[in-house]
Amino acid sequence: MSQSLRPILLFSAMAIALLAVGFGQGWSVMLVILNLCLISAVMSVGLNMQWGYAGLFNAGVMAFVAVGGMVAVLISEPPVRAGWEAGGLRIGIAGLLVAVFIGLIYAVRRFVSTKWIKNWGTAALLVAGYFIIRPVFEGGVTAVESIAAASAGNLGGLGLNILVSWGVAAVVCVGVAWVIGRIALGLRADYLAIATLGISEIVVAVAKNEEWMTRGVKNITSLKRAPVPRETNLQQAEWFQNLVSGVTGLDPTDADFKLRVIEFSSIFVKLCFTFLFAAVLAIVLFLAIRALNSPWGRMMRAIRDNDVAASAMGKNVVKRHREVFIVGAAILGVSGAMLTTLDGQFTPTGYQPLRYTFLIWVMVIVGGSGNNLGAVLGGFVIWFFWIEAEVAAQWLSVNVERLLLPYLDVVIINIGDVVLNVQDGVVWLKNAAPHFRYLLMGLVLLLALRFSPRGLIPEAGAARAH
Amino acid sequence: MVDLLNAIVLMLNFVIIPATSYGAQLALGALGVTLVYGILRFGNFAHGDTMAFGTMFTIFFTWLFQGLGLSLGVLPTALLALPFGIAVTALYAVSMDRVVYRHYRFKRSAPVILTIASVGVMFVTNSFVRFMIGTNEQRFSDGQKFIIKAREFKEWSGLSEGLKLKTTEALTIVVAGMAVAALFWFLQRTRMGKAMRAYSDNEDLALLSGINPERVVMVTWIITAALATLAGVLFGLDKSFKPFTYFQLLLPIFAAAILGGVGNPLGAIAGGFVVAFSEVMVTYPYKKFLKYMMPENLEPSGLMQLLTVDYKFAVSFIILVAVLLIKPTGLFSGKVIRA
């Protein structure tokens, strides 16, 4: 198959699969899958920059996704006045103090030349900073969290349009990635992996426990998601009712009409998201492809394929790695904010590493590391199978149960006090079914890595030593 | 004087004993990671889930033995099931090597590819465990619960603080000590152990001296599986078994291995204890301790806790960051730093 035909064929197959879902399971289901496919594609383009362009193992994709989600909350939530009045000042002072101490540490490390003063000075400042800032901060936090704990108990956000947060998420992730990059780049590849894994655990712990910020496990529901309208508002709107009657040919007095309006409003809202996400994906993809084909991208691949030679040519490997790590992290942050926007809520307990880190890895590896189109395809394909595998597993377990119905009392295991019959087996199978797709994804990752390491759409002209 | 004794008992009870047994569990885990690092030269992301795998099978055998009415009296039945759990896990680890890792070893792939392959193995192992036993918490400790009971200690000593020693804690320390002694004897004294160390030091030279690499790798996986199962079972007996907790143990275990110096078994043990003690000491509320130690009018009002337990991962992470920034080779100078 020629190189240029392959992506077209594969994307067409993907489109057909989505259309099949549309006809089979309904368009609403199809749009739900499509929207998450688009977000997954953005994530996988971001990770592909880090892994595909530069060979960096980021095991903390979840960290950036969660940071993106938190930023979405902090930008779009309306501020809680009572919370600000109660403890905003103290938390603000604590934040200022953090900045002051970071400045002091920077100054010590920059301007003191004696090594022991430098190191012990840094340590002393860290300890002093902790003990000075902590009481200020905690007083503020307690005050904020005691304000209307059932409905608020947090400071709220800036009350801006949630779209703003997509950009801000990128900026915040740049900061986080810069810090991680300073620490872990330039060492063994798996040190970066461990460091990012650690940061992702911590970010999620922060999201779960810092109630003054994100309400923690109390969750934030009903985020404002302008410019996309809400279903209930649409259903009331006259122009929308006219649209529905125009499309369906039904009269507003028909019995069926109300149901159709509800159905159409849900599809309309999802379509709005689809356009937004597709636009973001298009921009990100365009920039990513441009970057990959620029001198910068070629340099990056040269470093990846032979870092010794590249550094002999005068390239600063560590600095370039930091650059690409930061850019990838920014894209991951945007995708995280998009995800929270789509969900309309922020639930810290939902962030699971298998789902938000390692599934994205499967997408990149299966799609084609180093190829942006491949990463997009990987995002689509893997998300599609992720959803449909669950459906398949449910279907399978229901049918197995039906087949076994006449034999429920047959005993399978009978050793001593341990007696298990077929019914126990069926119960077990029902509980086990949701985990089936994890098994499937692990197998897909291993098989792709082994038999198709260059992915569905391989990198153009690459001679990668896998 | 009584206050001082009370303070010491308090520390023993809530910091030193729990941290020692947790440290022994981490040390066993870190030993497994460091062995794979040393011999196969990659960071094994599947280690936490291998621990879960081994523990799960040990639990199954425990249930079986309990069903058959077998028991060890005061000791947990899991101890009897342990060899069977280790056997199944060793078989699993060796077959995973055959099916997954060997291919990349023969191709001499970059270590990071092997690490990614281990992510795949982690995915599969993790889901298999959840598939089999579910995501809920399992407690499988039986036999006598305490060696020293807090109430009895209070009556005996007349102190207001009680001291308790759980059977599982004592068991952890004894079993881990025996396992480590056996491992070091094996690495230092036996032919195979020497071959392993030689292979870890210099692969090509070892090959030239006629060491069979496949045998070395196989033995490494068997030992790793045994250590992982042991660590997992001891951790599960001491606390409880929950698949996701075992995945999360990956971070402190890696922090311990890197802190001790990658590929250095002695370092892994030291690292395990340092990480465990830091974690417990940083998250312990010192209010009561300071109450005993300080004059009456200076009693602290807060909990005097440096970090809440929710942030215990931050401790491993901070240790990791400090090591990477200050001495990336670790305390005992592991050998491989740059990729």
Side-chain angles (χ1 to χ4, degrees), chain A residues 47-62:
Chain A
L47 181 62
N48 182 44
M49 286 202 147
Q50 301 177 332
W51 167 245
Y53 292 16
L56 299 176
F57 188 173
N58 174 6
V61 175
M62 182 173 75

Side-chain angles (χ1 to χ4, degrees), chain B residues 20-62:
Chain B
T20 309
S21 76
Y22 179 43
Q25 290 147 12
L26 282 188
L28 287 175
L31 269 176
V33 165
T34 226
L35 273 182
V36 174
Y37 251 129
I39 309 279
L40 291 126
R41 298 183 166 78
F42 71 94
N44 182 11
F45 266 63
H47 197 78
D49 286 298
T50 311
M51 280 165 63
F53 183 95
T55 313
M56 177 182 74
F57 270 98
T58 310
I59 292 176
F60 286 157
F61 282 110
T62 307

Side-chain angles (χ1 to χ4, degrees), chain A residues 94-384:
Chain A
L96 262 180
L97 281 172
V98 170
V100 167
F101 272 94
I102 289 177
L104 281 175
I105 290 172
Y106 177 79
V108 166
R109 299 205 65 83
R110 183 77 208 276
F111 300 114
V112 177
S113 50
T114 323
K115 205 174 170 197
W116 71 269
I117 300 183
K118 195 159 127 179
N119 290 341
W120 287 106
T122 310
L125 278 173
L126 280 173
V127 173
Y130 176 85
F131 284 103
I132 292 172
I133 296 166
R134 169 130 185 213
V136 178
F137 176 69
E138 275 202 338
V141 168
T142 324
V144 171
E145 288 178 0
S146 58
I147 298 287
S151 62
N154 64 336
L155 286 178
L158 299 176
L160 297 174
N161 190 313
I162 201 162
L163 285 187
V164 176
S165 73
W166 297 9
V168 178
V171 176
V172 175
C173 282
V174 163
V176 176
W178 185 84
V179 174
I180 303 175
R182 280 299 300 217
I183 297 165
L185 286 176
L187 299 165
R188 275 181 65 112
D190 19 17
Y191 283 14
L192 178 69
I194 301 296
T196 43
L197 184 76
I199 213 79
S200 69
E201 299 274 2
I202 291 172
V203 167
V204 173
V206 167
K208 276 183 193 162
N209 295 302
E210 298 305 311
E211 293 185 357
W212 58 276
M213 198 160 69
T214 58
R215 299 197 73 222
V217 287
K218 290 193 282 183
N219 299 342
I220 287 191
T221 50
S222 68
L223 280 169
K224 285 212 215 94
R225 59 183 190 200
V228 179
R230 285 205 170 277
E231 286 90 339
T232 42
N233 296 347
L234 265 183
Q235 286 152 21
Q236 309 298 326
E238 203 171 320
W239 66 268
F240 189 74
Q241 295 193 346
N242 289 338
L243 183 79
V244 175
S245 66
V247 172
T248 55
L250 286 172
D251 198 69
T253 49
D254 280 346
D256 212 17
F257 185 71
K258 222 169 160 140
L259 275 177
R260 297 307 290 269
V261 168
I262 292 172
E263 189 193 330
F264 267 68
S265 68
S266 131
I267 290 182
F268 183 84
V269 166
K270 281 168 192 144
L271 266 177
C272 290
F273 276 120
T274 307
F275 282 118
L276 267 178
F277 295 157
V280 173
L281 179 63
I283 295 169
V284 166
L285 189 62
F286 172 74
L287 293 176
I289 292 177
R290 285 293 295 247
L292 186 63
N293 294 328
S294 69
W296 180 82
R298 286 198 296 276
M299 171 181 63
M300 213 52 91
R301 279 181 291 169
I303 292 175
R304 178 196 67 198
D305 290 338
N306 192 338
D307 61 330
V308 179
S311 75
M313 296 294 287
K315 304 298 176 201
N316 187 336
V317 174
V318 177
K319 254 193 179 158
R320 298 289 90 77
H321 274 171
R322 202 185 305 150
E323 271 170 20
V324 78
F325 185 70
I326 286 172
V327 175
I331 296 176
L332 289 173
V334 174
S335 71
M338 284 161 61
L339 188 70
T340 304
T341 309
L342 175 66
D343 289 343
Q345 56 179 358
F346 182 71
T347 43
T349 42
Y351 290 102
Q352 299 285 339
L354 283 183
R355 156 71 181 88
Y356 287 103
T357 296
F358 297 111
L359 194 66
I360 316 301
W361 268 95
V362 182
M363 291 170 186
V364 172
I365 303 273
V366 168
S369 348
N371 186 317
N372 287 302
L373 279 181
V376 171
L377 183 70
F380 271 78
V381 170
I382 295 301
W383 185 260
F384 185 82

Side-chain angles (χ1 to χ4, degrees), chain A residues 391-414:
Chain A
V391 178
Q394 291 298 347
W395 180 84
L396 214 67
S397 82
V398 167
N399 277 292
V400 169
E401 191 186 352
R402 189 178 304 153
L403 275 178
L404 291 175
L405 213 54
Y407 315 103
L408 283 184
D409 297 327
V410 178
V411 172
I412 321 170
I413 300 176
N414 188 357

Side-chain angles (χ1 to χ4, degrees), chain A residues 57 130 134 186 188 190-191 194-195 201 206 209-210 353-354 358 415 417 428 432 438-439 449-450 466, chain B residues 37 43 67-68 99 103-104 107 113 115 127 130-132 247-248 254 305-306 310-311 317 324 337-338:
Chain A
F57 188 173
Y130 176 85
R134 169 130 185 213
R188 275 181 65 112
D190 19 17
Y191 283 14
I194 301 296
E201 299 274 2
V206 167
N209 295 302
E210 298 305 311
L354 283 183
F358 297 111
I415 313 169
D417 295 345
W428 168 80
Y438 287 93
L439 194 64
L449 202 62
R450 171 76 180 263
H466 262 298
Chain B
Y37 251 129
L68 289 172
V99 181
H103 170 75
Y104 305 102
K107 273 178 69 182
I113 300 293
T115 305
S127 44
R130 297 212 258 176
F131 211 81
M132 296 295 287
F247 170 78
Q248 289 187 314
F254 265 96
Q305 192 179 17
L306 287 170
D310 305 311
Y311 288 111
F317 183 73
L324 293 187
I337 311 160
R338 277 184 186 277

